[in-house]
Amino acid sequence: MTLRRAVPRWPSRLRPRPQAGGRYARGVHSLRGQLTLATVALLAIGVVAATAVSVMGMRYYLLDQIDTELNRTRHSLGGSELTIRSIDSLGLLGFVRDALNQQSDGPRRPDTLFTPINDRGEAIGLLDLKPTDAQRGLAAAVDDPQDLLQDPEPHDVTVNGTPYRATATRLDDGTHILMASSTEAVHESVAKAIRLDLAIGSLLLAVLACLTLFGVRRRMRPLEDMVETSSAIAEGDLTRRVPSSREATLEVEQLRVALNSMLHQVESAYRTRERSAAQLRRFVADASHELRTPLSAIRGYLQLYDRGMLSDPDERKRAWVRVLAETDRMGRLVDELLTLARLDQQPELRFRNVDISRLVRDAAEDLRVQQPKRPIAVDAAGSLLVRADESGMRQVLGNLVANVRTHTPADVPVRLGVERADGHVRLCVADQGPGLCAEDAARVFDRFFRAGGGAGSGLGMAIVQGVVRAHGGEVTVRTAPGEGLAVTVSLPAGAPGEA
């Protein structure tokens, strides 16, 4: 039997597309790609945030140092009671000499500027030197010195394209002094830090992306195995199972176990359905064959009678007897089929206390009447009550005894016994006949099965099994060639569902 033909296939638009290496196509829209992109995106956000915080902290620290130095100089000049004339005449303060940078108007840009301004906001010189371009540029960059005087924090200004932090103070004679320190080095340092952080961050993201992709690939391999197994199942290979993985997580392993259990159930259900369908086909064929034989005989005698070929009264009587016999045979066969049909529908049995020992003795007496020469041993003394359907149990004993009577010689000993053990009632019918081979013993409960093509309809043992199962019991057979046949019926002491 081939399992591939009866299993529905996936639609082509839903079927995974394997690559040449056996794995399935991957891309940005796959779970692996989505997890990798999400992880890299989160890492990128973290790197950018960390870079921004570190750069802003460094810039704030460097600018705070410049502002502190400017405010210290501002407070020193503002509280020194100096005038522009005293500064001009004394040329004091090494800071002023270094800050003026008036010895050269060369291309080097000064880091600090010290610029006095007049009432018109123009830069004026000190020490008989003219203002430099940088000093004039600082004076031009400051619109209103009063803003710098009133604000305790320095302002950002641009002098000839160079960024500065500037503040102002006023001497005792009312002269305004502008002081500024270049922040170009700060901006260059911040830019270098940004470039370095971006380079290192990009390299880190690339390494983390590769590691994440590799890790996700390892973790996703069990899911890919599940996809391959599901595809194989869809193609008809019901024996495929998801292999175990040493790297599977707890959730994936639980999913694998659940999926394998489901696949086992699916395979069992499919095989059961196929077996039931085969049994049904065989049952219909056997039933048709069994019914065709008596119908053919009845039709033949009726045709002989219709054609006037039964002119002799003895022939007509013999034909009539044969028609009645075949009719009875067909009636018994139909009754047995109806009994099996009712048992398949799980009928409601009438349970009551039944003396199973009495039923065994009655069956033994019936067998003695039918075959007086057969040695019969009965082990059913006293009374043994069991919750059962009396008519069903009589049918079980009747079929077992009839099986012995039909398939064994009339002088073969038989033993009927019943006992209670381990909360069960065990009924046994054993003979010392020819017995059955292992192959026939495995099919003894099949419908229409007759060992060696013997007599009977082949439904007796199937009815026995059906009645016993309806009682919640089981039937077992012990046999071997030349060792006879022993059928044991085990019934619960109480009715099904009772303690």
Side-chain angles (χ1 to χ4, degrees):
M1 179 179 64
T2 302
L3 299 180
R4 294 181 179 273
R5 296 180 179 177
V7 179
R9 299 177 180 270
W10 284 8
S12 58
R13 62 185 180 87
L14 298 179
R15 191 180 304 150
R17 301 182 181 276
Q19 291 179 336
R23 294 290 174 179
Y24 289 86
R26 311 179 185 97
V28 178
H29 298 289
S30 65
L31 181 58
R32 176 187 300 179
Q34 294 292 331
L35 289 176
T36 303
L37 287 179
T39 303
V40 172
L42 291 176
L43 291 174
I45 293 174
V47 170
V48 171
T51 301
V53 170
S54 62
V55 169
M56 291 176 61
M58 182 181 69
R59 181 177 182 277
Y60 175 81
Y61 174 76
L62 295 178
L63 291 179
D64 183 69
Q65 284 186 325
I66 294 175
D67 292 347
T68 301
E69 185 64 27
L70 287 174
N71 286 329
R72 183 182 298 112
T73 304
R74 172 186 181 181
H75 293 153
S76 298
L77 290 177
S80 62
E81 298 181 357
L82 293 175
T83 62
I84 189 63
R85 184 175 298 276
S86 60
I87 294 175
D88 191 15
S89 60
L90 296 176
L92 54 107
L93 295 178
F95 167 78
V96 174
R97 290 197 303 269
D98 295 335
L100 290 178
N101 280 312
Q102 295 178 357
Q103 287 78 8
S104 172
D105 288 333
R108 188 176 64 88
R109 291 174 293 190
D111 291 334
T112 58
L113 294 175
F114 186 86
T115 305
I117 58 174
N118 54 24
D119 296 338
R120 296 189 302 274
E122 298 175 350
I124 58 178
L126 288 175
L127 304 177
D128 297 330
L129 295 176
K130 294 181 178 180
T132 64
D133 293 339
Q135 290 175 320
R136 288 193 293 269
L138 176 61
V142 176
D143 295 334
D144 187 2
Q146 294 298 326
D147 293 339
L148 297 179
L149 287 173
Q150 296 174 0
D151 195 345
E153 296 296 329
H155 289 192
D156 289 321
V157 296
T158 301
V159 179
N160 299 331
T162 302
Y164 281 82
R165 294 283 288 178
T167 187
T169 186
R170 185 169 56 187
L171 302 178
D172 282 353
D173 60 357
T175 303
H176 291 84
I177 302 296
L178 300 180
M179 294 168 289
S181 292
S182 174
T183 59
E184 186 176 16
V186 174
H187 293 295
E188 290 178 354
S189 299
V190 170
K192 290 180 180 179
I194 292 176
R195 288 192 295 270
L196 181 61
D197 289 345
L198 289 179
I200 295 177
S202 300
L203 179 60
L204 179 62
L205 284 178
V207 173
L208 291 177
C210 294
L211 294 178
T212 302
L213 186 62
F214 177 74
V216 171
R217 180 180 180 181
R218 292 178 57 188
R219 298 301 181 186
M220 294 292 292
R221 186 172 294 119
L223 297 182
E224 294 179 354
D225 293 337
M226 294 180 189
V227 173
E228 291 183 357
T229 301
S230 300
S231 301
I233 293 292
E235 293 295 334
D237 186 5
L238 297 181
T239 60
R240 284 287 295 273
R241 296 293 181 270
V242 181
S244 61
S245 176
R246 294 176 299 178
E247 302 173 356
T249 59
L250 175 62
E251 293 78 4
V252 174
E253 183 64 16
Q254 290 175 343
L255 178 60
R256 184 190 69 83
V257 173
L259 182 59
N260 282 342
S261 300
M262 182 191 69
L263 293 178
H264 178 73
Q265 295 295 332
V266 170
E267 182 183 7
S268 299
Y270 178 78
R271 293 187 181 278
T272 301
R273 188 188 68 176
E274 290 294 312
R275 184 166 54 251
S276 300
Q279 291 177 350
L280 178 60
R281 289 191 296 268
R282 185 169 60 249
F283 172 78
V284 172
D286 293 340
S288 300
H289 175 74
E290 293 294 332
L291 290 173
R292 183 177 60 184
T293 301
L295 285 175
S296 298
I298 294 172
R299 184 184 298 111
Y301 285 114
L302 290 177
Q303 289 175 353
L304 291 176
Y305 179 80
D306 183 58
R307 295 175 182 177
M309 299 178 66
L310 299 176
S311 57
D312 187 12
D314 292 337
E315 292 180 352
R316 286 197 298 269
K317 182 178 180 180
R318 184 169 58 84
W320 179 249
V321 172
R322 291 293 301 144
V323 168
L324 290 179
E326 294 297 332
T327 303
D328 291 340
R329 176 185 174 188
M330 187 169 58
R332 288 193 302 270
L333 182 61
V334 171
D335 290 340
E336 290 176 345
L337 290 175
L338 290 176
T339 299
L340 288 173
R342 286 194 295 268
L343 291 175
D344 290 339
Q345 295 175 0
Q346 298 181 351
E348 294 184 2
L349 302 179
R350 298 178 180 179
F351 289 96
R352 62 177 183 174
N353 290 328
V354 177
D355 186 0
I356 197 69
S357 297
R358 179 174 58 84
L359 298 185
V360 171
R361 293 194 295 269
D362 291 345
E365 289 298 327
D366 294 341
L367 184 58
R368 286 193 183 98
V369 172
Q370 295 169 351
Q371 294 180 334
K373 297 182 180 182
R374 182 184 293 274
I376 302 175
V378 180
D379 185 10
S383 176
L384 182 57
L385 298 179
V386 63
R387 296 285 294 176
D389 181 78
E390 183 174 355
S391 62
M393 295 310 302
R394 285 189 180 275
Q395 188 173 22
V396 168
L397 282 168
N399 286 359
L400 293 178
V401 171
N403 189 61
V404 173
R405 187 178 65 248
T406 303
H407 298 287
T408 62
D411 58 348
V412 170
V414 62
R415 185 183 67 83
L416 287 79
V418 63
E419 63 177 355
R420 183 190 297 269
D422 300 331
H424 288 78
V425 174
R426 292 186 174 87
L427 169 65
C428 182
V429 177
D431 62 67
Q432 299 180 13
L436 300 174
C437 64
E439 182 179 356
D440 291 341
R443 297 186 56 194
V444 71
F445 295 111
D446 290 350
R447 299 176 182 184
F448 295 108
F449 173 73
R450 290 175 292 190
S457 63
L459 297 175
M461 294 300 290
I463 293 177
V464 170
Q465 187 183 52
V467 173
V468 173
R469 285 182 176 178
H471 281 75
E474 62 178 356
V475 187
T476 57
V477 172
R478 186 181 72 255
T479 183
E483 297 182 5
L485 174 68
V487 181
T488 302
V489 175
S490 179
L491 298 173
E498 296 182 359

